[in-house]
Amino acid sequence: MCSERIKSRTFQLRVWGDNACFTRPEMKVERVSYDVMTPSAARGVLESILWKPAIRWQITEIDVLKPIRWESVRRNEVGTVMSHRASGIYVEDQRQQRAGLFLKKVAYIIHAYFELTERAGQNDNIIKFEEMFIRRAKKGQCFQRPFLGCREFAANFELVDSDAEHHKPILETRDLGFMLYDMNHTGPEPMPMWFRASLENGRIRVPPLNSQEVRQ
């Protein structure tokens, strides 16, 4: 690697949308969202803009910019997954009506940096990927449309200057309980990781991946 740095500077990305659903995995039937964006959902937004095998995103903080509001929706879903060996499915036979408790009118600022991984090549360095991310985020470029928990809830995004003061988090402090941190894909089966989340003056502090605060 050409650079001694293995960690980028911290970026701030504002994301917003009409609805969001950061689904609680303990709810087996109905979709119920966490109160705020999860670190895994934030990572997904960043990877939609820039992902390479040579880098790994680490979320440090999430600012909640709008009051937490809820919306109950009942909708039709297809209750099966079509096998690749099947010629098709008859939707009318598989249709299920399910309720969902979603978030309404959300906006967040994601604070994150990335590190080089063991898959970084000789020509990979931090500056190269920093410039790529800045260029893509400013132009609104993405590999796929970022979303807020579910693909039907598209996210808008913009890069925010670190000294910007007009995006203030809400003045709310409370314990959010255990929250999904991310999925661990290092074993034979994906395993969930958890952390104790709390909202302090509208800001959630996200511990590092290798922290003792992250549990499996």
Side-chain angles (χ1 to χ4, degrees):
M1 287 176 278
C2 301
S3 173
E4 294 180 355
R5 294 172 60 199
I6 59 171
K7 176 180 168 182
S8 77
R9 62 187 168 104
T10 300
F11 295 101
Q12 296 182 25
L13 188 78
R14 186 170 78 96
V15 295
W16 70 96
D18 292 335
N19 289 98
C21 182
F22 310 109
T23 307
R24 290 180 174 272
E26 65 268 29
M27 302 296 182
K28 299 293 185 182
V29 179
E30 311 294 355
R31 292 182 187 272
V32 178
S33 176
Y34 282 110
D35 295 25
V36 298
M37 173 180 257
T38 61
S40 59
R43 177 183 53 78
V45 170
L46 294 166
E47 289 182 349
S48 296
I49 300 169
L50 179 64
W51 179 85
K52 298 286 181 182
I55 66 171
R56 176 173 50 240
W57 285 100
Q58 171 67 53
I59 312 300
T60 58
E61 292 174 328
I62 298 173
D63 292 348
V64 181
L65 303 181
K66 289 189 175 181
I68 300 170
R69 294 192 294 169
W70 299 92
E71 185 173 46
S72 181
V73 175
R74 185 170 292 277
R75 61 183 183 176
N76 293 321
E77 296 184 1
V78 176
T80 187
V81 177
M82 190 178 78
S83 167
H84 67 278
R85 292 189 291 270
S87 59
I89 59 174
Y90 188 55
V91 173
E92 294 302 325
D93 289 342
Q94 304 296 335
R95 192 187 303 278
Q96 299 177 354
Q97 194 171 59
R98 292 184 176 177
L101 188 59
F102 306 144
L103 295 167
K104 183 179 178 183
K105 300 293 182 186
V106 299
Y108 307 98
I109 288 184
I110 302 168
H111 302 248
Y113 65 85
F114 62 79
E115 299 173 313
L116 292 183
T117 69
E118 62 279 2
R119 299 174 68 182
Q122 291 294 322
N123 297 323
D124 293 329
N125 61 70
I126 289 293
I127 296 175
K128 166 185 168 183
F129 292 119
E130 281 181 339
E131 291 177 349
M132 287 176 65
F133 178 73
I134 292 171
R135 183 174 65 251
R136 293 179 65 84
K138 285 186 174 179
K139 290 183 176 179
Q141 294 177 328
C142 50
F143 297 116
Q144 61 180 6
R145 182 69 186 267
F147 54 89
L148 298 165
C150 295
R151 290 189 182 276
E152 58 264 47
F153 300 145
N156 305 300
F157 64 91
E158 69 170 358
L159 196 61
V160 178
D161 293 333
S162 58
D163 56 352
E165 297 182 352
H166 53 283
H167 296 301
K168 296 288 188 183
I170 59 174
L171 295 177
E172 185 171 341
T173 298
R174 62 167 141 146
D175 183 11
L176 298 173
F178 279 97
M179 176 182 285
L180 180 68
Y181 183 88
D182 213 324
M183 298 298 292
N184 183 355
H185 294 278
T186 58
E189 296 289 337
M191 295 294 294
M193 297 182 288
W194 310 88
F195 78 112
R196 187 74 186 229
S198 62
L199 193 64
E200 297 180 5
N201 292 320
R203 176 168 292 178
I204 302 168
R205 188 184 67 81
V206 181
L209 177 61
N210 55 2
S211 167
Q212 292 184 348
E213 297 177 62
V214 179
R215 306 179 185 180
Q216 295 192 28

